[in-house]
Amino acid sequence: MMSSPIPHQQTIAAVATAVAPGQGGIAVIRISGLQAEAVGMAVVKVPGQQSWGSHRVIYGHVMEADGSRSIDEVLLLLMKAPRSFTGEDVVEIHCHGGLMAVQRVLERVLSQSGVRRALPGEFSQRAVLNGRLDLTRAEAISDLVAARSQRAAALAMAGVDGGIQVRINSLRERLLDQLSELEARVDFEDDLPPLDGSVVLEELLAVRNELEQLVADGERGALLQQGLRVALVGRPNVGKSSLLNRLSRRERAIVTELPGTTRDLLESEIVLEGVPITLLDTAGIRTTEDSLEQLGIARSHEALGSADVVVLVFDLMQGWTAADAALLAQIPDDVSRLLVANKADLQPAQANAKVNAEFGCVVDAIAPDVILSALTGQGEEELIQAVLKACGASEVQGLVVALNQRQRDLAALAAGALARSQEAAEHQLPWDFWTIDLRQAISSLGEITGEEITEAVLDRIFSRFCIGK
Ligand SMILES: Nc1nc2c(ncn2[C@@H]2O[C@H](COP(=O)(O)OP(=O)(O)OP(=O)(O)O)[C@@H](O)[C@H]2O)c(=O)[nH]1
Ligand SMILES: [Mg+2]
């Protein structure tokens, strides 16, 4: 592993907890580096006979620089190297939450000589550089903190537990075994028993298959991380806002019997079976002279094009109309869509039947994907399942680990290199031709685990973390 370009002699400090006015009973300021202990001792005044030692909690006050008065009452925790998160001396000052006290305490810490503000992800980066944390574990911690649903958190936790590191390392080991076999033949062909190329190839392909599976799983896992945008679209008054309210379990949007009630895009964050979803309520689409409503409708059109899934709602009482068909035609081909017939409570006889075309209009009858009532909740469960299926999220059951984008790109690179080794085999090229691609695959996997990684790449990875991590 390379050493970081950031001089490690420097002691760094940052608030490690979320900072918001009026939020949080306590906040933690983290200090790491050679000066950490001295800084802690300098800013915290400790009363009485408390013994100062590693992994002990000490009670005290952070005082104004001139010692005139106390800024906050705190607990101080010293963790001497290497038994700390970063592997360096670490001091945590637990002070009161909110905004003011934390900022003042941090200022006092930063005013000490040899201390500077930590860069984003710098604590984690030091932990990785000091061998306290695997790279994939550090990335998984970041995902865990960012998780917006239980399922995303559980998946991130698998990475925190080392699931990714173990899987990738074992694949890399298998490739290294094959590489040493091949290299031995390149150097000492005559002294060794002959090598069966087909056996080597089989192993390379087996590893390639596993990598491709990991990439596919990771793409599905990304759904859990990022969530999906689901737009409710339709003509005015069909019940889009009523549906949004029902799915969000609160009166988020205004509902009236007047067409054209919703004038603007409205977002609601919901979690369906562990998958975070941003629901978009849109203005009902129609031709109107009202300029305000026109602006809203323009946004509806945008949502229709940018959503991951479009739920096209229509009114079962009125049947499938030419206007509905026109809206359906506007959904881009690559966007999944669901046709939802609402107000089923008004017309129970028609449930499950094909919806007839509006009388006198030249539109084909259509079969809705879901028939529901936003009023009574009938058909809601069916809709939820259909939405999850349309976004491909119903397949996230059973995911064990999920590579992030960086890791997926590298795994795909490795799989591609292994595919080329297959070509070398088919053309019966000499062994050293096989080793070129094999080395490339091994190095990509090493970049996932941090085994083979450059300073610049490491800096890039950690700069995406937030400050205090
Ligand atoms: N009976 C019945 N009425 C419904 C149902 N869903 C919505 N409504 C009624 O239909 C009317 C319009 O509902 P909204 O949810 O405001 O419709 P919308 O599609 O958001 O309308 P715009 O915002 O104008 O585009 C209201 O009076 C609702 O109470 C339903 O499932 N059954
Ligand atoms: Mg509405």
Side-chain angles (χ1 to χ4, degrees):
M1 174 119 358
M2 306 268 171
S3 67
S4 157
I6 301 156
H8 275 201
Q9 293 77 358
Q10 284 195 41
T11 297
I12 53 174
V15 182
T17 44
V19 180
Q23 299 284 303
I26 60 163
V28 176
I29 288 166
R30 200 186 238 170
I31 312 165
S32 178
L34 287 172
Q35 297 297 315
E37 184 174 0
V39 170
M41 283 175 124
V43 300
V44 180
K45 194 175 148 200
V46 178
Q49 302 271 309
Q50 302 178 58
S51 58
W52 184 274
S54 188
H55 295 82
R56 280 174 176 280
V57 176
I58 296 160
Y59 168 84
H61 285 87
V62 173
M63 307 298 289
E64 289 285 7
D66 60 8
S68 59
R69 60 180 195 92
S70 161
I71 296 172
D72 199 3
E73 186 183 28
V74 301
L75 292 176
L76 183 149
L77 175 56
L78 166 66
M79 288 165 279
K80 294 285 280 181
R83 289 178 53 216
S84 73
F85 177 68
T86 57
E88 305 171 336
D89 283 358
V90 168
V91 163
E92 284 181 7
I93 299 177
H94 297 229
C95 55
H96 286 110
L99 214 52
M100 301 322 290
V102 192
Q103 290 306 337
R104 295 299 308 284
V105 173
L106 181 63
E107 275 167 31
R108 286 287 293 129
V109 167
L110 291 173
S111 71
Q112 305 297 306
S113 69
V115 190
R116 66 163 167 81
R117 225 175 260 279
L119 301 172
E122 198 172 4
F123 292 101
S124 305
Q125 186 167 8
R126 288 190 178 190
V128 169
L129 290 168
N130 292 328
R132 295 292 291 176
L133 195 63
D134 296 329
L135 181 56
T136 63
R137 281 193 171 94
E139 290 181 285
I141 291 174
S142 182
D143 289 343
L144 179 64
V145 173
R148 285 157 65 208
S149 71
Q150 289 296 336
R151 294 272 294 284
L155 209 49
M157 215 31 228
V160 176
D161 284 343
I164 295 172
Q165 200 78 13
V166 169
R167 284 287 292 277
I168 299 292
N169 262 336
S170 91
L171 294 175
R172 186 164 174 269
E173 290 294 325
R174 284 165 67 182
L175 295 183
L176 281 167
D177 285 347
Q178 299 307 315
L179 181 65
S180 55
E181 286 286 338
L182 289 169
E183 281 184 333
R185 293 317 186 286
V186 173
D187 297 336
F188 316 103
E189 178 92 71
D190 305 334
D191 311 331
L192 291 167
L195 184 62
D196 184 347
S198 66
V199 174
V200 177
L201 189 61
E202 207 171 295
E203 176 71 350
L204 300 188
L205 292 182
V207 172
R208 180 186 157 199
N209 283 339
E210 279 199 44
L211 285 172
E212 284 171 348
Q213 187 61 49
L214 277 172
V215 172
D217 285 354
E219 273 158 12
R220 289 190 284 133
L223 283 182
L224 288 179
Q225 223 83 52
Q226 297 150 8
L228 290 146
R229 289 168 73 79
V230 175
L232 305 175
V233 178
R235 294 187 301 119
N237 231 23
V238 294
K240 301 175 295 296
S241 300
S242 306
L243 185 54
L244 177 98
N245 288 347
R246 172 160 285 281
L247 292 171
S248 343
R249 304 269 178 272
R250 62 199 172 110
E251 298 304 308
R252 178 79 175 82
I254 297 172
V255 167
T256 73
E257 67 288 348
L258 303 170
T261 303
T262 306
R263 297 293 180 92
D264 203 351
L265 274 193
L266 203 79
E267 297 195 359
S268 181
E269 295 276 334
I270 62 170
V271 175
L272 293 183
E273 302 201 350
V275 180
I277 286 179
T278 305
L279 264 188
L280 300 171
D281 185 18
T282 63
I285 298 177
R286 64 171 170 181
T287 319
T288 171
E289 294 302 309
D290 184 324
S291 58
L292 191 64
E293 194 179 347
Q294 282 170 355
L295 288 174
I297 292 173
R299 293 192 171 183
S300 302
H301 280 116
E302 273 172 40
L304 202 140
S306 70
D308 296 303
V309 177
V310 170
V311 173
L312 182 59
V313 184
F314 68 95
D315 188 328
L316 191 55
M317 274 290 280
Q318 300 178 8
W320 180 250
T321 69
D324 296 315
L327 275 182
L328 178 62
Q330 286 180 35
I331 305 174
D333 285 342
D334 56 344
V335 175
S336 321
R337 76 283 315 271
L338 284 174
L339 298 182
V340 171
N342 188 31
K343 308 197 184 182
D345 55 293
L346 295 178
Q347 221 175 8
Q350 273 225 343
N352 299 321
K354 259 201 165 190
V355 176
N356 292 315
E358 184 185 24
F359 180 71
C361 255
V362 206
V363 258
D364 293 331
I366 59 115
D369 297 297
V370 180
I371 296 177
L372 105 158
S373 165
L375 200 67
T376 66
Q378 166 200 341
E380 183 184 356
E381 187 50 35
E382 215 186 316
L383 173 70
I384 290 173
Q385 292 310 322
V387 167
L388 290 174
K389 186 149 180 259
C391 21
S394 56
E395 296 156 34
V396 294
Q397 312 279 5
L399 273 189
V400 186
V401 294
L403 307 191
N404 65 23
Q405 180 76 55
R406 179 190 83 86
Q407 298 160 345
R408 290 202 296 277
D409 290 348
L410 289 164
L413 259 177
L418 295 177
R420 287 196 299 279
S421 67
Q422 191 174 0
E423 284 172 35
E426 273 162 10
H427 293 96
Q428 304 198 326
L429 297 177
W431 297 131
D432 46 352
F433 281 86
W434 298 40
T435 61
I436 300 169
D437 296 317
L438 192 48
R439 274 205 203 86
Q440 149 96 72
I442 290 168
S443 132
S444 297
L445 297 188
E447 205 174 315
I448 294 180
T449 58
E451 211 88 35
E452 296 181 38
I453 202 158
T454 62
E455 288 170 15
V457 173
L458 216 50
D459 283 347
R460 189 142 34 83
I461 294 170
F462 285 103
S463 67
R464 283 197 288 265
F465 283 40
C466 55
I467 290 186
K469 270 193 203 140

